């Protein structure tokens, strides 16, 4: 299917911050979301799929939703229900969406859509990289059909948020992350440390959430638990990791500083499993495979969030 807008495929594990990123994508006139491929991560797969379907219903969009992997490739991992709520959406008890997920597996959908939009597809990965790793194992030529690949993940100087050295998405499935970072010649990376540098004030977020919009009302409800947790633990600023990655994806011109370097994923180690090791001094001779976001236009970022929350919805 051809489109005059940039086709956008989002691999995600909704998740409150994933939801904000999806609102931004649904609100962007330059991009057309052609699919949501869903993995377990923030919470289990049944919840992440249900959350994706519900958000589509709230926003009155008919984007196809494809269920994918329900566990990491090799080892079990802990989820992030303590941040997002047991259902990933703040345990608000929302009425389930009327629509169901497609029958096609997420990894197969990634491959099919990469052929349908070959050379034009923007792939944004907001969760653990398990679906994408499976797609690469089925077809290693996948990166040749992707125009841009943007990933939210990593901690580029080992200031982790789930272990001392590792960021959640990578630590959830380090083997999958290793496969993905080894396969793509260039990944645009919004890491956890960039997220911490681009927080926004809680009072600003509360003002945006007061918009007279179904999207703002729904998001205010599902994010209340997360926002309270963040205010208690991180102070005056709230950090929406996936929203920053989506800003980079949708408006790359807002990036004020990117640094290209080689990056590898540590899959072993007593303390370092899931760490993302950046060769800052280029000592290994390996090719640069990531463009690391260092600074993004904060005013642009916040304006995108505010506009996405204020946009009309369908429920």
């Amino acid at each position: 299917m051809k489109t005059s807008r940039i086709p956008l495929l989002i691999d995600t594990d909704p998740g409150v911050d994933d939801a904000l990123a999806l609102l931004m994508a649904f609100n962007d006139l330059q991009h057309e979301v052609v699919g949501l491929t869903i993995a377990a991560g923030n919470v289990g797969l049944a919840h992440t799929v249900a959350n994706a379907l519900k958000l589509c219903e709230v926003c009155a969009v008919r984007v196809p939703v494809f269920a994918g992997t329900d566990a990491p490739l090799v080892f079990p991992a802990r989820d992030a229900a303590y941040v997002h709520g047991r259902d990933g959406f703040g345990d608000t008890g929302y009425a389930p969406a009327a629509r169901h997920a497609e029958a096609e597996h997420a990894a197969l959908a990634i491959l099919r859509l990469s052929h349908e939009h070959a050379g034009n597809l923007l792939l944004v990965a907001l969760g653990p990289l398990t679906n994408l790793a499976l797609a690469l194992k089925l077809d290693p030529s996948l990166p040749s059909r992707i125009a841009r690949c943007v990933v939210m993940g990593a901690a580029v100087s080992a200031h982790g948020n789930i272990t001392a050295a590792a960021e959640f998405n990578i630590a959830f499935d380090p083997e999958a992350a290793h496969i993905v970072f080894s396969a793509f010649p260039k990944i645009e990376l919004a890491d956890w440390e960039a997220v911490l540098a681009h927080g926004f004030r809680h009072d600003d977020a509360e003002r945006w959430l007061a918009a007279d919009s179904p999207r703002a009302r729904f998001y205010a409800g599902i994010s209340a638990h997360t926002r309270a947790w963040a205010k208690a633990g991180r102070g005056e600023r709230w950090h929406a990791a996936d929203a920053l990655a989506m800003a980079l994806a949708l408006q790359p011109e807002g990036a004020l500083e990117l640094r290209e370097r080689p990056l590898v994923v540590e899959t072993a180690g007593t303390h370092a499993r899931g760490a993302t090791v950046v060769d800052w001094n280029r000592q290994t001779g390996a090719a640069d495979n990531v463009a690391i976001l260092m600074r993004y236009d904060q005013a642009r970022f916040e304006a995108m969030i505010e506009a996405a929350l204020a946009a009309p919805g369908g429920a």
Side-chain angles (χ1 to χ4, degrees):
M1 181 186 303
K2 300 296 183 183
T3 173
S4 59
R5 300 159 71 190
I6 297 170
L8 169 59
L9 173 60
I10 305 171
D11 190 70
T12 178
D13 61 332
V16 172
D17 53 341
D18 304 73
L20 186 55
L22 294 179
L23 292 179
M24 294 164 66
F26 293 157
N27 193 48
D28 189 273
L29 298 178
Q30 302 303 313
H31 296 80
E32 179 182 1
V33 182
V34 295
L36 302 178
T37 53
I38 311 300
N42 284 319
V43 288
L45 184 67
H47 286 308
T48 56
V49 170
N51 292 346
L53 291 165
K54 184 62 178 181
L55 198 66
C56 289
E57 183 176 87
V58 169
C59 296
V61 297
R62 293 288 301 179
V63 175
V65 173
F66 305 93
T69 57
D70 64 357
L73 292 180
V74 182
F75 296 106
R78 68 185 274 206
D79 64 24
Y82 65 97
V83 177
H84 297 269
R86 291 182 302 277
D87 71 352
F89 267 11
D91 296 322
T92 57
Y94 66 77
R99 188 160 60 97
H100 298 286
E102 309 298 316
E104 187 177 22
H105 190 279
L108 299 176
I110 290 170
L111 294 177
R112 176 178 55 80
L113 290 165
S114 76
H115 284 285
E116 291 181 11
H117 303 284
N120 298 312
L121 189 62
L122 168 56
L123 174 60
V124 179
L126 302 177
L129 295 169
T130 319
N131 287 333
L132 193 47
L134 285 177
L136 284 163
K137 283 299 183 183
L138 291 169
D139 182 359
S141 70
L142 170 64
S144 68
R145 297 186 297 278
I146 303 299
R148 294 172 59 210
C149 179
V150 177
V151 169
M152 190 284 125
V156 297
S157 63
H159 288 66
N161 67 345
I162 191 68
T163 72
E167 177 274 332
F168 175 84
N169 285 343
I170 307 302
F172 189 89
D173 195 345
E175 285 74 22
H178 165 72
I179 290 168
V180 172
F181 282 94
S182 299
F184 277 83
K186 186 61 57 66
I187 287 173
E188 297 171 50
L189 186 65
D191 87 309
W192 178 245
E193 295 168 50
V195 170
L196 291 179
H198 294 84
F200 36 87
R201 296 180 62 87
H202 286 280
D203 53 359
D204 287 332
E206 287 161 10
R207 176 170 51 82
W208 305 335
L209 289 167
D212 184 16
S213 160
R215 299 188 190 200
R217 285 190 290 273
F218 182 76
Y219 195 78
I222 67 170
S223 66
H225 173 87
T226 300
R227 288 183 287 115
W229 177 87
K231 185 177 287 188
R234 294 201 178 112
E236 67 178 15
R237 290 190 177 270
W238 182 33
H239 304 90
D242 296 326
L244 181 64
M246 189 58 72
L248 174 62
L250 299 176
Q251 297 187 20
E253 63 274 20
L256 303 178
E257 182 182 1
L258 293 160
R259 292 188 187 175
E260 297 191 2
R261 289 294 189 277
L263 178 149
V264 296
V265 178
E266 178 58 66
T267 57
T270 302
H271 304 292
R273 176 170 160 79
T276 41
V277 182
V278 176
D279 184 5
W280 289 107
N281 297 321
R282 295 193 173 105
Q283 293 170 279
T284 63
D288 295 344
N289 63 338
V290 291
I292 302 164
L293 178 65
M294 306 302 292
R295 290 188 302 122
Y296 193 88
D297 183 328
Q298 185 72 19
R300 179 191 290 261
F301 178 36
E302 295 185 8
M304 292 172 72
I305 293 172
E306 183 176 11
L309 289 167

